[in-house]
Amino acid sequence: MKEDDIIDTTICITVAPRIAAILSSLPASLKRTVTEIRLRVNLPLIIRDATSETMIREDGTCTTQITNAVRISQADLLKTIQMISKNSLYALENELRSGFITIVGGHRVGLAGQALVENGQVKTLKNISSLNIRIARQIKGCADRLMPWLYTSIEPSIGGSALINRICSTLIISPPRCGKTTILRDAARQLSSGVTMLRMAGLQVGIVDERSEISACQYGIPAMDMGERCDILDSCPKAEGMLMLIRSMAPQVIITDELGRQEDTLAVEEAIHAGVAVITTAHGHSVEDIIRRPYVGRLIREGCFERYVILGSVPAIGTIVKVVSASGDILYSILGEVKSCG
């Protein structure tokens, strides 16, 4: 699918007709680069790309003047919610509790409104007043600079002199909007297919895609190219899914996104103890950010990960800012401190 076709063939069929007509009229250059579409009741329609945002006129052209921008009506938002939920918002209660819905293509729709709280916990959202449609794109090759850091060389245990390359359990740390899921997706594809530039054969890759964002499965089949050796558990809780893959699919590496809960960290420990490498992500700016957290921080303190890759958005989204070893050595820094991979 062409990058500008994502808007016309996927997003436009999930928003209110008036908004769909405006989005269809966007310049092709903006359609190819848009990362977020923000709808707020009584406020301007705003489009973001990697570096900036702009308000949109009724004819699809950009404007910096709020008086010229199209305003989202409550009817626009309600119709969009109906289309996203296929007129069954109640069936998406679990997603609403998390504050987002993943739609076909792996695109995430964030929601804000009035929280309905029960026993001190958010049960669902009602009176939704804002939507943020985040566009998922497959960018093949975007993980090229990451791939060498996912391997380490070890001495053979019996005889021979050739070094053996082994995949490293790796935590990718990134603030929001720095491309971690996009890079994770491409890393999974390359590991599955084999990394040509490193002369590495393909591995058996297991993906637990809890939010259907990594591989964008439809009826269990990935819409994204995930390579030839990839087994995917779609819409499956991370902790349970990792253990299921270990028991049933014999993965060499497990890939999942956004660790956070205690059960997630226990499953990561189980996988690593079973000899399976784990590549996953967490929101943050540094290893120091993550180590303070009660569950993921324990994985760092116990040395479960061999590599930490910190992403940033300068000079571009998905920039590798730093690579750190389990011992704290800086293996790579955008500032120029570099050691060899492995």
Side-chain angles (χ1 to χ4, degrees), residues 264-283:
D264 297 342
T265 61
L266 293 174
V268 169
E269 288 177 324
E270 184 71 20
I272 291 171
H273 291 155
V276 180
V278 176
I279 300 173
T280 186
T281 70
H283 280 127

Side-chain angles (χ1 to χ4, degrees), residues 141-217:
C142 70
D144 285 356
R145 293 175 65 85
L146 169 67
M147 301 313 293
W149 301 107
L150 298 183
Y151 291 89
T152 190
S153 297
I154 60 173
E155 297 286 347
S157 56
I158 302 175
S161 58
L163 294 175
I164 299 172
N165 289 295
R166 179 179 58 78
I167 197 75
C168 296
S169 288
T170 302
L171 180 64
I172 300 171
I173 300 169
S174 166
R177 291 181 44 81
C178 285
K180 63 179 174 53
T181 304
T182 306
I183 286 177
L184 190 68
R185 179 186 301 123
D186 193 54
R189 178 189 65 84
Q190 293 199 43
L191 290 170
S192 169
S193 296
V195 186
T196 303
M197 65 179 177
L198 300 177
R199 298 181 181 178
M200 297 296 182
L203 300 173
Q204 301 299 325
V205 176
I207 295 179
V208 186
D209 200 355
E210 184 169 3
R211 300 177 179 89
S212 303
E213 286 187 294
I214 301 173
S215 50
C217 282

Side-chain angles (χ1 to χ4, degrees), residues 57-79:
R57 295 187 180 92
E58 193 81 35
D59 63 0
T61 57
C62 301
T63 180
T64 58
Q65 301 297 317
I66 192 169
T67 54
N68 296 331
V70 62
R71 288 179 180 264
I72 304 300
S73 69
Q74 189 170 34
D76 291 330
L77 203 77
L78 288 174
K79 182 61 177 176

Side-chain angles (χ1 to χ4, degrees), residues 71-278:
R71 288 179 180 264
I72 304 300
S73 69
Q74 189 170 34
D76 291 330
L77 203 77
L78 288 174
K79 182 61 177 176
T80 300
I81 293 168
Q82 289 172 359
M83 295 179 71
I84 288 171
S85 66
K86 297 181 173 59
N87 293 307
S88 183
L89 199 59
Y90 176 78
L92 297 173
E93 188 171 286
N94 286 337
E95 288 86 347
L96 292 176
R97 188 183 302 119
S98 299
F100 66 89
I101 297 169
T102 304
I103 61 176
V104 171
H107 313 293
R108 179 187 284 193
V109 182
L111 308 99
Q114 184 180 358
L116 181 61
V117 179
E118 195 172 273
N119 298 323
Q121 294 186 325
V122 175
K123 181 180 179 182
T124 188
L125 291 176
K126 63 178 183 178
N127 299 325
I128 295 168
S129 57
S130 301
L131 298 178
N132 177 25
I133 304 172
R134 295 177 61 183
I135 309 300
R137 302 182 187 277
Q138 180 157 41
I139 304 176
K140 292 185 177 181
C142 70
D144 285 356
R145 293 175 65 85
L146 169 67
M147 301 313 293
W149 301 107
L150 298 183
Y151 291 89
T152 190
S153 297
I154 60 173
E155 297 286 347
S157 56
I158 302 175
S161 58
L163 294 175
I164 299 172
N165 289 295
R166 179 179 58 78
I167 197 75
C168 296
S169 288
T170 302
L171 180 64
I172 300 171
I173 300 169
S174 166
R177 291 181 44 81
C178 285
K180 63 179 174 53
T181 304
T182 306
I183 286 177
L184 190 68
R185 179 186 301 123
D186 193 54
R189 178 189 65 84
Q190 293 199 43
L191 290 170
S192 169
S193 296
V195 186
T196 303
M197 65 179 177
L198 300 177
R199 298 181 181 178
M200 297 296 182
L203 300 173
Q204 301 299 325
V205 176
I207 295 179
V208 186
D209 200 355
E210 184 169 3
R211 300 177 179 89
S212 303
E213 286 187 294
I214 301 173
S215 50
C217 282
Q218 300 175 41
Y219 305 107
I221 300 173
M224 305 289 187
D225 177 5
M226 303 309 298
E228 298 81 40
R229 300 171 184 84
C230 201
D231 303 303
I232 302 162
L233 281 174
D234 182 51
S235 302
C236 181
K238 285 188 283 292
E240 187 174 354
M242 283 188 268
L243 299 180
M244 289 172 63
L245 286 172
I246 292 169
R247 288 193 295 262
S248 62
M249 303 307 295
Q252 294 168 281
V253 56
I254 288 177
I255 290 177
T256 191
D257 204 5
E258 296 186 14
L259 288 185
R261 296 169 298 186
Q262 182 178 19
E263 53 266 37
D264 297 342
T265 61
L266 293 174
V268 169
E269 288 177 324
E270 184 71 20
I272 291 171
H273 291 155
V276 180
V278 176

